[in-house]
Amino acid sequence: MENKPFLLKPAAKDYLWGGNRLNDDFAKGIDMYPLAETWECSTHEDGPSIVASGEFEGMFLPELLRKHPEFLGEHCLQNPYLKDGELPILIKLIDAKKDLSVQVHPSDEYARKNENALFGKTEMWYVLDALKESKLIYGFYHDIERDTLKKSLENGTVEKYLQKVDVHKDDVFFIEAGTVHAIGAGTLIAEIQENSNLTYRMYDYNRIDKNGKTRELHLKKALDVVELKKSRQPRQPVRLLRYKKGQALELLGRCKYFQVERMLLNTEICRELAELSVDGSSFQVLLCIGGCGLMLYGANGSMQFFKGDCIFVPANSVPVKIHGNAQLLRVSC
């Protein structure tokens, strides 16, 4: 059997802070409001993706990967913490119409010891769009004592300690496990993270959910894992474009969990299609964040893709070429 690329259909989440831009801007066609997140490439039990094209259309992604673990590639197959059918990462689109809660995520070690989970949550954000006044929370302005933080969370004064950062379209932010953070209102984000849904909510502005209740906080666990030292003001990484025929690539971020590149595709300026480099080391995920194109693979396979589409390219895939004018995020492990 040949390893061929295929489209994914996302799981959707209706968290109270969401809007409708994922439908309006990305044509998701999901009957849900608010539509806060789409889990574009996910094997997590809380929202697995579904194969949306090819011979495995209709299968849940983890079911397919259990059947064909070779799609993952050597790096994943050597990971002792991965269960059958699991990816080490999760890729989301996030529409923050309102402020998200102030939260923190645990490390792998804490998750394995205290949550019976294999992964904590380190994540990276790529800002697709933001309002002029949009901000995010990233760490603390100064070192803070645990007791001081605890009291400020209990009496609702924690905001004065939280470092607020301006957000602009095309920004990149890397959020390590333990960093207190929150996405601000008016921000549209692509998030690449570890395969985890562990979030410890610290502060939620006393908001009421659709059932008329305040949302649960997780103060004890949050205080166990949060980094109390001052956070440096996040700086945008130096980004260099590498040009190939019909495309340019820039590295947005790399850590031990994932690598994320932005691909600028424009085969209108050359007579040859752009080639996608694939090998046996890792699967790749292509998330189209602008424009559209055509993917050609193998002897006669083809697939159109549009803004908002997510394509899974198995390790050791048949040869892949791309034609069009588009921006894509390329994620590998």
Side-chain angles (χ1 to χ4, degrees):
M1 187 196 75
E2 294 181 318
N3 296 357
K4 301 176 183 178
F6 51 85
L7 287 165
L8 291 173
K9 178 182 178 181
K13 303 294 179 179
D14 64 350
Y15 306 134
L16 59 80
W17 41 261
N20 204 48
R21 291 193 65 183
L22 300 183
N23 276 326
D24 293 344
D25 293 18
F26 293 95
K28 289 297 176 182
I30 296 172
D31 186 15
M32 180 183 289
Y33 187 85
L35 179 57
E37 297 183 354
T38 51
W39 292 17
E40 296 293 327
C41 180
S42 168
T43 57
H44 199 280
E45 62 184 3
D46 291 342
S49 305
I50 297 174
V51 179
S53 70
E55 62 184 296
F56 303 110
E57 184 174 359
M59 291 181 67
F60 283 104
L61 182 57
E63 179 187 1
L64 172 58
L65 295 179
R66 281 192 292 271
K67 186 176 180 180
H68 291 286
E70 70 275 10
F71 285 7
L72 295 168
E74 296 169 4
H75 291 169
C76 291
L77 293 175
Q78 293 172 4
N79 187 332
Y81 295 107
L82 271 184
K83 295 180 181 178
D84 288 345
E86 282 195 344
L87 295 171
I89 60 166
L90 198 164
I91 300 173
K92 302 176 180 178
L93 291 175
I94 299 175
D95 173 19
K97 184 176 181 180
K98 303 174 183 177
D99 292 332
L100 274 67
S101 62
V102 178
Q103 56 193 241
V104 68
H105 304 303
S107 66
D108 295 349
E109 292 73 20
Y110 188 92
R112 289 164 191 162
K113 183 177 180 180
N114 298 280
E115 296 284 6
N116 193 31
L118 297 179
F119 300 104
K121 189 174 173 184
T122 286
E123 59 194 21
M124 195 200 89
W125 299 337
Y126 177 72
V127 181
L128 301 171
D129 198 14
L131 298 178
K132 185 176 180 180
E133 63 273 18
S134 293
K135 296 182 181 295
L136 61 82
I137 289 170
Y138 184 94
F140 298 107
Y141 283 118
H142 305 288
D143 293 359
I144 186 170
E145 297 292 332
R146 179 189 169 100
D147 287 345
T148 302
L149 176 58
K150 183 174 183 292
K151 290 177 182 177
S152 73
L153 291 168
E154 292 170 344
N155 61 30
T157 61
V158 69
E159 289 186 68
K160 65 183 179 182
Y161 300 110
L162 300 173
Q163 179 172 242
K164 296 180 176 62
V165 180
D166 291 333
V167 182
H168 308 94
K169 182 178 180 179
D170 199 41
D171 280 350
V172 176
F173 296 95
F174 188 74
I175 313 294
E176 290 191 76
T179 304
V180 62
H181 63 275
I183 299 172
T187 312
L188 191 66
I189 280 177
E191 178 176 288
I192 296 88
Q193 57 159 90
E194 289 184 80
N195 182 19
S196 170
N197 198 26
L198 290 174
T199 295
Y200 301 150
R201 197 178 296 124
M202 303 175 71
Y203 180 68
D204 196 41
Y205 312 98
N206 297 313
R207 287 186 291 199
I208 304 298
D209 66 16
K210 60 185 177 183
N211 299 314
K213 299 180 179 179
T214 55
R215 295 203 294 172
E216 181 185 5
L217 301 179
H218 315 94
L219 298 188
K220 182 182 182 304
K221 290 180 178 179
L223 290 169
D224 283 345
V225 304
V226 68
E227 174 56 65
L228 299 172
K229 293 185 180 298
K230 170 185 175 180
S231 294
R232 292 184 179 180
Q233 185 85 5
R235 295 181 179 180
Q236 291 304 304
V238 176
R239 290 155 56 177
L240 300 175
L241 286 171
R242 309 189 314 275
Y243 291 93
K244 297 183 178 180
K245 288 183 179 179
Q247 63 177 304
L249 291 170
E250 63 174 354
L251 180 65
L252 299 181
R254 179 191 288 141
C255 64
K256 64 181 181 179
Y257 304 110
F258 49 74
Q259 174 175 294
V260 184
E261 297 171 288
R262 186 167 69 118
M263 177 187 294
L264 306 176
L265 175 69
N266 188 358
T267 56
E268 296 173 356
I269 61 175
C270 66
R271 292 181 177 272
E272 297 183 36
L273 291 103
E275 293 187 6
L276 183 70
S277 177
V278 293
D279 58 27
S281 63
S282 172
F283 66 92
Q284 296 182 39
V285 179
L286 300 179
L287 179 61
C288 183
I289 57 174
C292 59
L294 177 68
M295 175 177 285
L296 304 175
Y297 55 89
N300 54 13
S302 66
M303 177 196 309
Q304 288 183 301
F305 60 89
F306 302 89
K307 181 180 178 181
D309 282 344
C310 187
I311 303 170
F312 189 97
V313 183
N316 284 318
S317 168
V318 296
V320 176
K321 294 186 177 182
I322 311 178
H323 170 62
N325 193 330
Q327 290 189 54
L328 305 105
L329 297 183
R330 186 171 80 169
V331 183
S332 58
C333 291

